[in-house]
């Protein structure tokens, strides 16, 4: 695994869709080992994650991952960025677990035979060797999420981007995923609307209406975020988000 010392750098980064501004004026230098991004639904969290992963290009400013433009140099950043979506069904491409794990390895240059061998070794190391030929649709939600994580980690990215990773999981699945994530050597950037999901992060960024409202150590940012969310909850919480 190659840690990206330079991290992820956004300079004046913005993103708009059909003339509607989603993100604006983001200046961030992300180098900490554990980073959380919080905000209400519609605040731009997922769009920011997609910018960092190169799934969309900024409409203003720049985004760099270890000095690379993720939207233009997709193949070059394969070893730098991995992304885990909230819904594993939006990520799984192949009918069996072994095929799903092997796919990313072939993208890194391994032969199909090498990739299948490596996939079996990964499953065996995880105590899930029996999954190799299992149909992906037969796995539970938590198992599919875990498979997606294993597929991403197989490519040994320096930074892992997580989009609401615990939202659809039951409590045992959440506990297993938290344990796995805590042990990773990678930089982990987690977006969530739940303060508990990022409470142990080294740094937390609070997005509001596509802009950075607060950025710093987890405790003060999350305290301020919780107070504001409680205040909004006492009012008509979604009135300001109406089109």
């Amino acid at each position: 695994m190659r840690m990206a010392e330079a991290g992820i750098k956004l300079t004046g980064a913005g993103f708009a869709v059909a003339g509607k501004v989603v993100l604006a004026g983001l200046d961030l230098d992300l180098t900490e080992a554990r980073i959380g991004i919080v905000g209400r639904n519609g605040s731009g969290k997922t769009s920011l994650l997609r910018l960092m992963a190169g799934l969309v290009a900024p409409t203003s400013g720049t985004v760099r991952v270890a000095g690379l433009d993720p939207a233009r140099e997709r193949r070059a950043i394969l070893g730098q960025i991995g992304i885990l979506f909230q819904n594993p069904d939006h990520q799984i491409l192949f009918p069996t677990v072994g095929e799903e794990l092997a796919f990313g390895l072939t993208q890194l240059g391994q032969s199909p035979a090498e990739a299948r061998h490596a996939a079996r070794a990964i499953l065996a190391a995880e105590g899930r060797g029996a999954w190799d030929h299992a149909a992906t649709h037969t796995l539970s939600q938590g198992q599919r999420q875990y498979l997606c994580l294993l597929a991403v980690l197989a490519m040994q990215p320096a930074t892992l981007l997580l989009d609401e990773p615990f939202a659809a999981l039951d409590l045992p699945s959440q506990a297993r995923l938290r344990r796995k994530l805590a042990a990773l050597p990678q930089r982990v950037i987690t977006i969530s609307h739940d303060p508990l999901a990022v409470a142990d992060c080294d740094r937390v960024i609070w997005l509001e209406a596509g802009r950075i409202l607060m950025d710093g150590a987890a405790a003060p940012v999350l305290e301020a975020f919780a107070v504001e969310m409680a205040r909004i909850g006492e009012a008509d919480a979604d009135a300001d988000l109406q089109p």
Side-chain angles (χ1 to χ4, degrees):
M1 192 273 297
R2 297 170 295 166
M3 178 58 72
E5 290 84 359
I8 301 174
K9 188 175 183 66
L10 291 85
T11 305
F15 180 62
V17 178
K20 180 181 179 181
V21 175
V22 179
L23 298 167
L26 301 185
D27 291 305
L28 291 168
D29 194 359
L30 305 175
T31 58
E32 293 83 0
R34 295 293 184 267
I35 299 169
I37 301 172
V38 297
R40 290 188 288 168
N41 291 339
S43 62
K45 302 187 305 297
T46 297
S47 293
L48 175 54
L49 213 67
R50 290 170 65 82
L51 271 185
M52 293 189 288
L55 298 178
V56 296
T59 50
S60 61
T62 61
V63 178
R64 294 293 182 266
V65 176
L68 302 170
D69 182 336
R72 294 179 178 272
E73 302 175 85
R74 296 297 302 280
R75 182 165 292 276
I77 69 159
L78 285 177
Q80 295 294 337
I81 289 285
I83 185 168
L84 186 68
F85 295 106
Q86 178 179 347
N87 187 342
D89 295 333
H90 293 165
Q91 195 156 352
I92 293 173
L93 300 174
F94 291 88
T96 70
V97 170
E99 290 174 295
E100 184 69 26
L101 278 178
F103 173 69
L105 297 172
T106 62
Q107 299 301 296
L108 292 178
Q110 293 189 18
S111 70
E114 290 171 333
R116 287 294 287 119
H117 177 77
R120 286 191 289 269
I122 290 168
L123 290 171
E126 292 288 322
R128 290 167 171 82
W131 284 18
D132 187 28
H133 295 290
T136 52
H137 74 270
T138 64
L139 302 181
S140 70
Q141 176 87 2
Q143 289 170 332
R144 293 197 302 277
Q145 184 82 322
Y146 203 83
L147 167 61
C148 289
L149 177 62
L150 292 181
V152 171
L153 292 178
M155 301 179 73
Q156 299 186 332
T159 299
L160 186 62
L161 306 176
L162 309 178
D163 185 1
E164 299 283 5
F166 308 110
L169 302 181
D170 60 22
L171 292 177
S173 297
Q174 288 184 29
R176 284 190 290 269
L177 183 58
R178 288 182 192 278
R179 187 169 62 248
K180 180 70 174 179
L181 294 174
L184 294 179
Q186 280 90 347
R187 178 181 297 116
V188 179
I189 300 177
T190 303
I191 72 166
S192 182
H193 63 271
D194 180 4
L196 292 178
V198 297
D200 293 331
C201 287
D202 305 304
R203 174 184 179 184
V204 172
I205 298 157
W206 174 6
L207 279 186
E208 182 67 28
R211 296 181 179 273
I212 299 169
L213 192 60
M214 196 171 177
D215 180 359
V221 174
L222 293 178
E223 181 179 2
F225 177 72
V227 169
E228 178 62 7
M229 294 306 102
R231 185 194 69 77
I232 293 172
E234 290 298 321
D236 192 355
D238 59 356
D240 62 321
L241 298 180
Q242 292 177 5

